């Protein structure tokens, strides 16, 4: 990571003195790939920015304000439609992350993730009808969520959030199922009321989100979401009385400490005694992984991103079978081939990883070596303990 990238973020977030030297196109692109260039723009007036770079940055900031307003209005319309059906649409991440930022308008938004309450199948069905009645088209329906689209606006309606592959994930979702949502006002492109989770449960959401993306493409935005959350609410008492009992319960305490200590070391966030025992090597490896990936893996070649995700996650036979049925045209036509779709998918991974990789790809062997290095970090973070 370019040292200037960290410098400008420290200036923007913690008002540190700017460092000498120009802010180049390389720094701008790196911040943009991490989806934090709007946040970093707060420091531009204190740095020497190349003229062409400054012009691009100013356009991006103006576009962000327009897109944010449209995003929040679309979210408002959707949540009002759900409330009209007696549903509490709890926002996960997104504006529920932005509300912990000093200025919520500086966090870039993506999809709107909604966990509907009460937590039962009847609520889910009513929510689904509300989407369809308000012009949304179903795009994806898998075991975790339903993805709907309306023009350029995308929303995910969750059956559950964490997962059903481990006791840690099951425990986290049980906690969410029993939660009592709260209403808050978030000032992002205007003033908007949203339903969200209590602070301690939002902490679990942010940590689970990190574990979800760390296996395939963790970006700086997910790390900064956690950092702003910690700075906003996690003092020593909150940690010991509210958050730590929950992270202990689901197996995310070590991760919480390492991510917090990483923010202290590399972004100069205020220090906390409860993360002092975090392993420094893990913090260094975490920043390196974020640097390599970019937001949702944008800095990686698509084939490398997919290969690393498969190696890190491991793929169950049922997942191979499902993907094989989607990708194998012959199996769609001939029933006799369908039981072997999992084998087709294995061959497809091999073909893409070795025979069809582009010029920017590292190749299967280098992906494997990177995976082995990343596994060292996951072990230190106890990611696979949580996911077993």
């Amino acid at each position: 990571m370019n040292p200037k990238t960290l410098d400008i973020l420290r200036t923007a977030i913690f008002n540190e003195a700017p460092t000498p030297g120009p802010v180049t196109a390389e720094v701008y692109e790196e911040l943009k790939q991490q989806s934090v260039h709007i946040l970093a723009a707060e420091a531009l007036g204190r740095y020497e920015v190349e003229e062409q770079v400054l012009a691009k940055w100013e356009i991006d900031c103006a576009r962000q304000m327009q897109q944010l307003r449209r995003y929040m209005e679309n979210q408002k319309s959707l949540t009002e439609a759900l409330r009209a059906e007696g549903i509490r649409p709890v926002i996960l991440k997104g504006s529920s992350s932005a509300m912990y930022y000093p200025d919520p308008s500086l966090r870039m938004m993506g999809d709107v993730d909604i966990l509907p309450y009460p937590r039962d199948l009847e609520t889910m069905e009513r929510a689904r009808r509300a989407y369809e009645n308000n012009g949304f088209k179903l795009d994806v329906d898998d075991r975790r969520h339903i993805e709907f689209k309306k023009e350029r606006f995308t929303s995910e309606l969750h059956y559950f959030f964490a997962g059903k592959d481990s006791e840690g994930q099951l425990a986290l979702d049980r906690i969410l199922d029993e939660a009592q949502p709260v209403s808050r006002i978030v000032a992002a492109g205007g003033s908007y009321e949203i339903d969200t989770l209590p602070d301690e449960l939002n902490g679990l959401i942010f940590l689970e989100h990190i574990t979800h993306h760390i296996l395939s493409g963790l970006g700086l935005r997910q790390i900064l979401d956690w950092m702003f959350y910690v700075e906003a609410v996690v003092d020593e008492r909150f940690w010991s009385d509210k958050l730590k009992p929950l992270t202990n319960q689901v197996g995310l305490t070590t991760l919480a400490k390492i991510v917090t200590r990483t923010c202290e070391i590399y972004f100069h966030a205020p220090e906390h005694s409860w993360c002092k025992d975090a392993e420094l090597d893990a913090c260094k490896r975490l920043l390196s992984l974020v640097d390599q990936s970019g937001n949702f893996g944008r800095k990686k070649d698509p084939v490398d991103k997919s290969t690393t995700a498969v190696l890190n996650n491991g793929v169950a036979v049922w997942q191979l079978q499902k993907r094989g049925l989607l990708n194998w045209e012959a199996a769609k036509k001939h029933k006799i081939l369908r039981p072997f779709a999992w084998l087709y998918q294995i061959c497809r991974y091999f073909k893409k990883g070795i025979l069809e990789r582009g010029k920017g790809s590292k190749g299967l062997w280098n992906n494997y070596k990177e995976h082995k290095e990343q596994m060292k970090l996951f072990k230190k973070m106890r990611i696979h303990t949580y996911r077993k």
Side-chain angles (χ1 to χ4, degrees):
M1 189 175 292
N2 190 307
K4 186 67 72 178
T5 298
L6 291 176
D7 290 340
I8 197 170
L9 283 169
R10 292 174 190 138
T11 301
I13 298 168
F14 294 115
N15 200 31
E16 288 198 1
T19 55
V23 176
T24 63
E26 177 190 4
V27 173
Y28 162 77
E29 288 298 332
E30 187 163 55
L31 289 163
K32 190 168 185 177
Q33 286 175 328
Q34 296 284 1
S35 290
V36 295
H37 59 303
I38 304 302
L39 174 65
E42 290 288 281
L44 291 185
R46 303 177 65 185
Y47 278 85
E48 176 190 348
V49 186
E50 294 177 358
E51 187 174 345
Q52 289 182 329
V53 173
L54 182 61
K56 287 183 180 180
W57 223 317
E58 289 174 344
I59 291 171
D60 281 345
C61 288
R63 186 179 292 124
Q64 159 68 0
M65 292 303 106
Q66 294 175 345
Q67 292 174 344
L68 178 65
R69 177 75 181 197
R70 187 160 54 245
Y71 173 97
M72 294 301 293
E73 287 295 323
N74 284 332
Q75 179 178 280
K76 178 183 177 182
S77 177
L78 173 60
T79 54
E80 286 178 347
L82 291 167
R83 290 189 191 110
E85 298 296 326
I87 298 164
R88 290 200 75 172
V90 166
I91 306 295
L92 305 175
K93 305 169 297 173
S95 49
S96 286
S97 299
M99 68 184 184
Y100 296 108
Y101 282 54
D103 181 353
S105 299
L106 300 179
R107 187 198 188 267
M108 295 192 70
M109 305 294 192
D111 302 340
V112 174
D113 289 70
I114 288 179
L115 192 66
Y117 284 76
R119 303 289 302 124
D120 55 45
L121 289 176
E122 181 186 350
T123 300
M124 194 72 183
E125 284 304 311
R126 284 190 287 124
R128 181 174 182 151
R129 288 196 298 271
Y131 272 87
E132 293 169 347
N133 292 339
N134 282 273
F136 284 85
K137 303 296 183 184
L138 190 151
D139 189 52
V140 175
D141 187 354
D142 63 25
R143 64 176 191 153
R144 183 170 179 254
H145 67 265
I146 309 172
E147 184 175 304
F148 291 95
K149 290 190 176 181
K150 184 177 182 180
E151 297 176 350
R152 296 184 180 181
F153 183 61
T154 302
S155 178
E156 294 180 357
L157 177 66
H158 282 262
Y159 293 106
F160 54 86
F161 181 67
K164 297 185 179 296
D165 300 324
S166 72
E167 184 51 42
Q169 292 173 316
L170 290 169
L172 197 156
D173 275 317
R174 284 195 295 267
I175 291 170
L176 298 183
D177 287 345
E178 296 170 3
Q180 297 298 316
V182 294
S183 294
R184 311 195 202 208
I185 301 296
V186 58
S191 183
Y192 295 91
E193 181 180 351
I194 63 171
D195 287 311
T196 183
L197 294 167
D199 288 326
E200 61 272 20
L201 300 191
N202 276 331
L204 295 185
I205 293 292
F206 302 149
L207 291 171
E208 160 59 27
H209 194 217
I210 288 172
T211 75
H212 187 77
H213 287 291
I214 200 170
L215 302 175
S216 57
L218 181 67
L220 203 53
R221 187 177 65 173
Q222 289 80 45
I223 300 298
L224 294 182
D225 279 354
W226 173 258
M227 185 184 78
F228 283 120
Y229 163 75
V230 169
E231 295 315 304
V233 300
V234 188
D235 58 20
E236 302 295 331
R237 176 169 290 184
F238 184 92
W239 168 254
S240 61
D241 293 353
K242 291 192 173 183
L243 188 53
K244 185 180 179 183
L246 292 172
T247 59
N248 282 347
Q249 186 176 338
V250 302
L252 292 173
T253 299
T254 301
L255 175 65
K257 290 182 177 183
I258 290 172
V259 179
T260 305
R261 188 67 182 134
T262 300
C263 294
E264 294 175 359
I265 294 170
Y266 295 103
F267 297 98
H268 300 174
E271 295 189 353
H272 303 79
S273 64
W274 52 265
C275 67
K276 288 292 186 184
D277 59 344
E279 188 175 340
L280 296 183
D281 181 66
C283 298
K284 181 180 178 180
R285 287 177 181 272
L286 174 60
L287 187 72
S288 177
L289 183 146
V290 169
D291 180 29
Q292 293 167 13
S293 297
N295 191 52
F296 299 139
R298 287 179 186 171
K299 293 176 73 173
K300 301 183 73 172
D301 177 88
V303 172
D304 290 343
K305 178 183 173 183
S306 297
T307 304
T308 303
V310 170
L311 291 171
N312 286 343
N313 280 289
V315 183
V317 173
W318 71 265
Q319 292 173 306
L320 291 168
Q321 179 71 7
K322 179 180 178 181
R323 294 174 190 178
L325 289 172
L326 289 173
N327 294 318
W328 197 9
E329 292 300 325
K332 294 177 182 178
K333 297 177 181 178
H334 307 289
K335 291 183 179 180
I336 194 171
L337 296 176
R338 291 174 191 173
F340 305 101
W342 63 274
L343 183 58
Y344 168 86
Q345 189 63 25
I346 289 175
C347 295
R348 190 171 188 267
Y349 283 140
F350 179 82
K351 180 182 177 184
K352 285 188 169 292
I354 294 180
L355 303 178
E356 295 182 2
R357 66 186 179 95
K359 293 181 180 179
S361 173
K362 296 178 181 179
L364 187 59
W365 175 244
N366 287 322
N367 288 154
Y368 177 73
K369 290 193 291 184
E370 184 176 293
H371 152 71
K372 295 298 287 184
E373 283 300 307
Q374 290 179 4
M375 289 296 289
K376 295 177 183 178
L377 171 61
F378 302 157
K379 186 175 181 180
K380 291 174 184 291
M381 288 180 146
R382 301 183 68 79
I383 294 292
H384 282 67
T385 300
Y386 164 69
R387 287 190 167 269
K388 282 182 179 177

